Amino acid sequence: MTIQESRLMTIARRGLSLPAETRDQIRKIGILSRPQVEIVYQQRANQWKLRGEESGGAVELLGHYVGFVDLNGEGLPWLQRVKNFLPNGIHAVVIADELVRVEMFRYETTYHLLISKHWLQCKDGERPELKSSILFLGRNGSLDTELWGKDAAFRGGAMPHFYARSGELAAPGAIWTDATNKITEGVCCPGCRHCHLLEACISSSSPVPTKEAEKQFEFENEGVPA
């Protein structure tokens, strides 16, 4: 295995590779984002699952956000909604057999994006192994629109442009467009207190659409600390 291959495997498993100084600055600003994907064991069901935490947010200068979708780029239901007294923290927990993690870091108008797939490789009678692969990795993408300020009305409908070393456009696959738009919104959401990718879980018998259920949850729990 080459050094480059080893480095890419580490990124696929752990998330975007950011300089230590950048991570220190993110923490000092008060943004908590957790790209870790964990293996968990459900005793009653006698099965292994993957656990992820949608988290992060933004200030005017920068943003860092992590969210999750399914293998088709569609929304996943959260297991648990998390309300925090401080903003830009953990927003929800998801448990699933397989996940696609979407992680983005923004500094002013420059963006880094990682989309990675995570699943369990089972072994008879043993703890399964976490497998990860990169679906898209874009660095130094650009978007001049100030979604965190005067152009906030365009949040959710804009995404950065990424380029290959050759200068050609290198965009995520079409199935990731919606997730990329949403995570771009997340890294441009100062004082974030809500989910951008995970969705409220409602039963099939409920007449309330997912977005309406989330709005109702936000209203009922407004101002309630974690």
Side-chain angles (χ1 to χ4, degrees):
M1 181 184 296
T2 67
I3 294 176
Q4 177 67 9
E5 289 173 337
S6 177
R7 182 170 174 271
L8 289 175
M9 284 185 62
T10 300
I11 292 173
R13 178 68 63 87
R14 299 181 181 178
L16 283 171
S17 177
L18 301 173
E21 295 83 356
T22 300
R23 293 192 177 277
D24 287 343
Q25 186 64 24
I26 292 171
R27 285 192 291 267
K28 288 178 182 177
I29 285 175
I31 297 174
L32 173 62
S33 49
R34 293 177 53 85
Q36 296 89 343
V37 175
E38 302 174 277
I39 302 176
V40 294
Y41 178 65
Q42 296 180 335
Q43 273 194 315
R44 292 186 179 180
N46 189 28
Q47 59 186 1
W48 297 90
K49 295 283 187 178
L50 292 179
R51 183 182 191 275
E53 295 177 351
E54 179 158 330
S55 53
V59 295
E60 182 176 325
L61 180 67
L62 59 83
H64 189 203
Y65 202 91
V66 177
F68 298 90
V69 294
D70 67 16
L71 269 59
N72 298 310
E74 301 293 333
L76 282 170
W78 64 58
L79 169 72
Q80 178 185 10
R81 182 74 166 88
V82 179
K83 302 288 286 185
N84 288 300
F85 178 73
L86 296 176
N88 296 333
I90 298 172
H91 305 302
V93 175
V94 61
I95 300 288
D97 294 314
E98 50 192 5
L99 297 165
V100 171
R101 178 184 63 200
V102 189
E103 179 185 4
M104 181 175 276
F105 172 75
R106 171 185 66 84
Y107 179 76
E108 294 187 348
T109 58
T110 298
Y111 297 74
H112 304 306
L113 171 64
L114 171 65
I115 303 176
S116 53
K117 176 184 174 181
H118 305 269
W119 70 99
L120 293 173
Q121 182 172 303
C122 296
K123 301 179 180 179
D124 291 339
E126 298 181 20
R127 176 188 173 95
E129 181 182 356
L130 173 62
K131 307 294 287 186
S132 304
S133 65
I134 294 176
L135 302 177
F136 179 83
L137 177 59
R139 294 192 178 277
N140 299 320
S142 58
L143 178 63
D144 291 334
T145 308
E146 295 182 11
L147 300 179
W148 60 88
K150 64 183 180 67
D151 300 316
F154 295 100
R155 286 184 198 163
M159 59 184 283
H161 299 292
F162 294 93
Y163 296 89
R165 291 179 64 83
S166 62
E168 299 172 295
L169 276 173
I175 65 171
W176 312 120
T177 297
D178 186 54
T180 303
N181 284 337
K182 289 178 178 178
I183 199 125
T184 303
E185 182 180 15
V187 296
C188 296
C189 182
C192 186
R193 294 180 181 274
H194 58 277
C195 285
H196 289 275
L197 283 89
L198 293 178
E199 301 176 348
C201 179
I202 57 174
S203 65
S204 58
S205 61
S206 173
V208 183
T210 297
K211 292 298 182 182
E212 291 302 317
E214 180 172 354
K215 289 179 181 178
Q216 182 64 24
F217 184 97
E218 294 282 352
F219 175 78
E220 293 175 353
N221 292 273
E222 187 67 30
V224 179

